[in-house]
Amino acid sequence: MSVPLLDLKPQNLALERELTEAFQRVLRSGHYILGPELERFEADMARLLGVRHALGVSSGTDAILLALMSLGIGPGDEVIAPSFTFFATGGCVSRVGATPVFADVCPICFNLDLADVARRITPRTKAILPVHLFGQAADMDPLLALAAQHGLQVIEDGAQALGATYRGRAVGGLGAFGTFSFFPSKNLGALGDAGLLVTNDETLAQKAALLRLHGAKPKYYHHLIGANFRMDALQAAFLSVKTVRYAEYTEARCRNASDYTAQLTPLPGVQVADPAQCGCSLSVGDSKASEVRLVLPVAYPHNQHIWNQYTIRVPGPGRRDALRAHLQAKGIGTEIYYPVPLHAQPCFARELALPDSPSGKFPFPVSDRLAQEVVSLPIYPELTESQRAEVVAGIREFLAG
Ligand SMILES: *Cc1c(COP(=O)(O)O)cnc(C)c1O
């Protein structure tokens, strides 16, 4: 039996009749961009996330871009973002003409290391852009306190964490803006590109809505230089079909994650990451590291993790790649999120080499190490019990070999 890393078909084909009805409704409405389908979806998202304003946009990337533009961030400004994340988080900062300043992450929760963020703040810093990576919230209370202390804006990249909570509050509404993605592989996936921008601030919401439409109000009267950041009515209609099932999808992901953890923990050399070591980069050079052959991800008690990825660490030179090859040979799909941290990407090399670059000033030991050690296992909601057993068996064999 093969176990793909991700298979979108079982989820979407199970909804074929409703998705087809949604398509026909939009087709016959003659209204294909924004409009009532999107407004309904935006209201559902605002309710789910407990925010005042939710704006459907063209992608998760464009949501970040729109947040930065709405805050007036541009040339001469610095924005601190994690090095260990998807490219868009850093790329958008460069696209508005500002400078992305990369910070290292925590090896336990994979999110921003706040001590490292603090030492990279300069008089030019305008914002912090935390990512809730793999579906688990970053440590927002101390991050918001640090931002407030320095007068910085906070934009949450929640692309992988729609509906995840931090101390009982949904992520996305904690900073000035929250951004989400409905890329098909995200926890709530469209049948194409789509994204969401949320905020509790009325003025920022109005500015973002204006920028989403080339800054025009009414049409052809341009107050600001925006762009086309609109969502299609079709994607909104498809997403509405799936939104009512979203809690079930999340529950299935959580079940898959706890099943992996329960079955893998007893294997020799396997340990669950220790939340007590959060933010403690020392655990990287842990004295018992040589006995640890596999580290499982952990959901912190104060977080509701939504498991966009179940990402394990395989310490030891070449071990991660050997595990991947072993699983691949058995038809089990895995992926490396992410093989190259942003600070090591060629497109940022010139910027990092500048004499006062706050990114270049300090090293990234955790991000560098994670890029060598992480591998993500299949976790999608429709994964069956026998498929999970197959993955566990593959890992057991590898550890015994
Ligand atoms: C997917 C993702 C994005 C970008 O979303 P798109 O909809 O693909 O543009 C941004 N940040 C993170 C962390 C992501 O995982």
Side-chain angles (χ1 to χ4, degrees), residues 11-12 15 18-19 22 25 37-49 162-163 181-182 186-191 194 196 231 234-251:
Q11 183 170 104
N12 292 331
L15 302 172
E18 285 174 72
L19 291 169
R25 196 171 67 234
E37 291 285 350
L38 180 61
E39 284 162 22
R40 181 158 73 102
F41 175 65
E42 289 174 337
D44 286 345
M45 287 296 110
R47 206 169 313 115
L48 173 78
L49 299 170
L162 181 81
S181 167
F182 306 112
K186 299 292 158 77
N187 286 32
L188 183 62
L191 306 184
L196 192 79
M231 191 196 284
L234 258 185
Q235 296 307 337
F238 293 150
L239 284 164
S240 292
V241 170
K242 302 182 76 174
T243 302
V244 292
R245 272 105 180 167
Y246 189 55
E248 280 168 46
Y249 300 154
T250 300
E251 218 170 281

Side-chain angles (χ1 to χ4, degrees), residues 58-64 85-90 92 131-134 157-161 179-186 192-195 308 338:
S58 28
S59 70
T61 303
D62 284 349
I64 301 172
T85 178
F86 178 61
F87 175 76
T89 318
C92 288
V131 178
H132 305 299
L133 203 71
F134 303 147
D157 181 348
Q160 303 181 5
T179 68
F180 297 94
S181 167
F182 306 112
F183 183 77
S185 70
K186 299 292 158 77
D193 276 312
N308 179 246
Y338 295 91

